[in-house]
Amino acid sequence: MQLELPEKPIFALVDRERLCQVANNLMSNAVKFTPEKGTIVWRLFQVPGWQCMSIRDNGGGIKASDLSHIFDIFFQGYVATNVHRGGLGIGLPVVKNLLDLHGALIEARSDGEGTGAEFVVRIPAPEK
């Protein structure tokens, strides 16, 4: 696990409990799909107008055909047989719904099977 934080704190107007739920779900998924001795990078950063969180792993990745459905309720894409899954396909849809309620965005990225995955959350930056 690697944590990458900016030099100065960044702030966002969010429901702290719900954002913790989002982060916990994304981190749990990363742990579930990352092999033993794999790498997970949790990064906080800013881009103009957004406060961002990224969770990237070097696990099994996501098939290109699954990316467009990853936030659909009950959707479970292809998973390698060596991954213990046990999910219902509701975690990522809940994450997306909670972020929608905050006016935030989420994007899933992967270059395909065996390349890992990254989930990027963008929360509107507070007005100055």
Side-chain angles (χ1 to χ4, degrees):
M1 169 68 194
Q2 181 178 337
L3 185 59
E4 296 180 3
L5 301 174
E7 287 184 26
K8 295 181 181 178
I10 59 176
F11 299 93
L13 298 172
V14 297
D15 178 324
R16 184 175 65 166
E17 293 299 319
R18 299 293 70 85
L19 190 60
C20 285
Q21 187 177 357
V22 165
N24 185 35
N25 181 282
L26 294 175
M27 184 56 74
S28 294
N29 280 352
V31 168
K32 183 178 0 177
F33 293 105
T34 301
E36 189 173 325
K37 298 187 181 182
T39 302
I40 299 170
V41 179
W42 189 349
R43 185 166 72 110
L44 299 178
F45 60 99
Q46 295 175 294
V47 298
W50 302 96
Q51 313 295 42
C52 303
M53 173 178 66
S54 164
I55 297 177
R56 184 180 73 236
D57 66 63
N58 67 346
I62 304 169
K63 288 174 56 173
S65 60
D66 289 348
L67 277 173
S68 62
H69 302 287
I70 203 81
F71 298 107
D72 294 348
I73 191 78
F74 302 124
F75 179 78
Q76 294 185 344
Y78 168 79
V79 177
T81 56
N82 64 338
V83 173
H84 174 71
R85 52 189 283 179
L88 297 174
I90 60 174
L92 289 175
V94 167
V95 162
K96 180 161 182 354
N97 184 265
L98 291 172
L99 292 169
D100 286 348
L101 293 171
H102 284 85
L105 306 172
I106 186 167
E107 176 185 4
R109 301 174 180 169
S110 179
D111 290 329
E113 295 175 68
T115 64
E118 180 179 26
F119 289 83
V120 179
V121 173
R122 297 180 196 284
I123 300 166
E127 295 182 22
K128 295 183 180 190

